[in-house]
Amino acid sequence: MKKNIIITHPKTGSTYLAHVLDCLIEDKTKLIIKRRSTLEKRQYLLSDNLINFFYYPRKEHVEKYEQKILFVRDVRDLLVSQYFHLKYKSKNRKLPKGKEDIDEYCLYDIAHVIEALFLKYNNVFTHLLRYETINTDTIYELLNVMRVDIDYEDVSKCLEYYSFENMKKLEISGKSEELQGIDVNNNETFKVRRGKIHGYKDYLKKETINELNRVIDSYQNITKVPITYQIT
């Protein structure tokens, strides 16, 4: 049996990717397990293929997989998204005491997030997927890497079905177990919140962004995974 693992961190767009994969794989799989634990996002069991989707698994656990897909997002957008999750939605984790301000929180947690995602798997992953570049081509390539036979047109249809706008509507409807907004009048309480590339610029002070970039630069030369995403 072929074994694949998708490695990521909360607030990378993992729920979006999971819904797209559900749409594509569901009729081909014997089993989809959703959230067996807080660290396991999905497990897909096909006839000759196993795909596990994990939040920051142990490196020794990752090594047994044939394909190791690292799913990342610009760390600055990740931090802002995580801030609002901790502030409004998380039941188990809350904002650290004294770090209730968004700028303070992002400065406090950036090194930890970089080390937990971008550095930890730097020499382990075999394929890189970015939230910012998800489209029909990149998802189709991902499926080929994992040796899952899916028609190109089906990829396009599932991406359209789970567009940001449609996922927002699904969350507002209250019909999804994973997508549960807290206050329909406060967009920041939603899981499908904005999805904007470089949306961090709308929330953080210039001096905070400068300091985050300084920290990023200090790490970037020791990892081959781009910690930020440049819009071209």
Side-chain angles (χ1 to χ4, degrees):
M1 174 176 284
K2 298 182 288 292
K3 293 184 178 180
N4 306 281
I5 187 168
I6 301 172
I7 308 156
T8 195
H9 188 285
K11 315 317 293 178
T12 54
S14 56
T15 299
Y16 168 53
L17 179 59
H19 276 73
V20 171
L21 292 177
D22 289 351
C23 175
L24 289 164
I25 296 176
E26 193 159 14
D27 64 339
K28 297 178 179 292
T29 185
K30 293 180 179 179
L31 180 69
I32 296 180
I33 297 176
K34 299 184 179 181
R35 298 306 292 268
R36 289 196 309 180
S37 72
T38 56
L39 298 182
E40 187 169 36
K41 189 74 175 176
R42 293 286 195 278
Q43 183 184 82
Y44 303 96
L45 180 61
L46 290 80
S47 58
D48 62 345
N49 202 331
L50 172 68
I51 303 171
N52 277 332
F53 193 166
F54 266 94
Y55 290 135
Y56 30 73
R58 298 189 309 273
K59 284 180 70 174
E60 57 269 28
H61 175 73
V62 171
E63 290 170 356
K64 67 182 181 181
Y65 291 89
E66 179 181 349
Q67 295 296 335
K68 310 164 188 70
I69 295 93
L70 185 61
F71 181 49
V72 301
R73 181 186 189 185
D74 189 306
V75 71
R76 297 163 297 186
D77 284 330
L78 188 162
L79 285 164
V80 168
S81 182
Q82 186 159 273
Y83 168 81
F84 286 112
H85 176 78
L86 294 176
K87 183 174 182 178
Y88 292 115
K89 295 184 67 66
S90 178
K91 296 178 181 178
N92 300 317
R93 286 184 62 200
K94 298 298 179 183
L95 289 167
K97 188 174 181 179
K99 307 299 179 184
E100 293 83 3
D101 174 79
I102 189 169
D103 292 89
E104 291 179 354
Y105 169 75
C106 290
L107 291 170
Y108 167 82
D109 214 24
I110 185 169
H112 171 261
V113 173
I114 290 175
E115 291 172 7
L117 180 61
F118 298 90
L119 286 190
K120 184 175 180 179
Y121 308 104
N122 180 45
N123 296 314
V124 176
F125 75 95
T126 58
H127 184 79
L128 182 67
L129 178 67
R130 296 201 67 96
Y131 168 80
E132 296 90 352
T133 60
I134 284 183
N135 58 33
T136 303
D137 289 336
T138 55
I139 294 297
Y140 187 70
E141 179 186 358
L142 170 67
L143 294 167
N144 283 333
V145 165
M146 298 190 297
R147 301 184 193 175
V148 179
D149 185 21
I150 302 287
D151 290 338
Y152 187 86
E153 289 186 2
D154 289 339
V155 177
S156 182
K157 289 176 182 176
C158 283
L159 283 172
E160 182 177 356
Y161 184 79
Y162 281 111
S163 66
F164 183 87
E165 292 75 16
N166 286 342
M167 289 190 71
K168 189 82 167 184
K169 291 176 183 177
L170 181 61
E171 183 165 7
I172 291 172
S173 74
K175 296 178 180 179
S176 170
E177 292 182 9
E178 284 185 285
L179 304 176
Q180 293 288 331
I182 304 299
D183 180 358
V184 294
N185 297 313
N186 183 356
N187 187 67
E188 309 300 1
T189 70
F190 279 75
K191 192 173 185 72
V192 186
R193 196 176 54 84
R194 293 184 80 200
K196 179 182 176 182
I197 298 173
H198 288 183
Y200 70 89
K201 293 179 180 178
D202 299 332
Y203 294 95
L204 301 178
K205 298 173 184 175
K206 185 175 180 180
E207 52 267 34
T208 300
I209 295 172
N210 290 339
E211 180 59 19
L212 292 176
N213 290 341
R214 187 195 65 77
V215 175
I216 290 166
D217 288 344
S218 71
Y219 279 102
Q220 189 59 81
N221 61 2
I222 56 175
T223 176
K224 61 185 177 183
V225 185
I227 299 172
T228 62
Y229 179 74
Q230 303 300 320
I231 298 176
T232 57

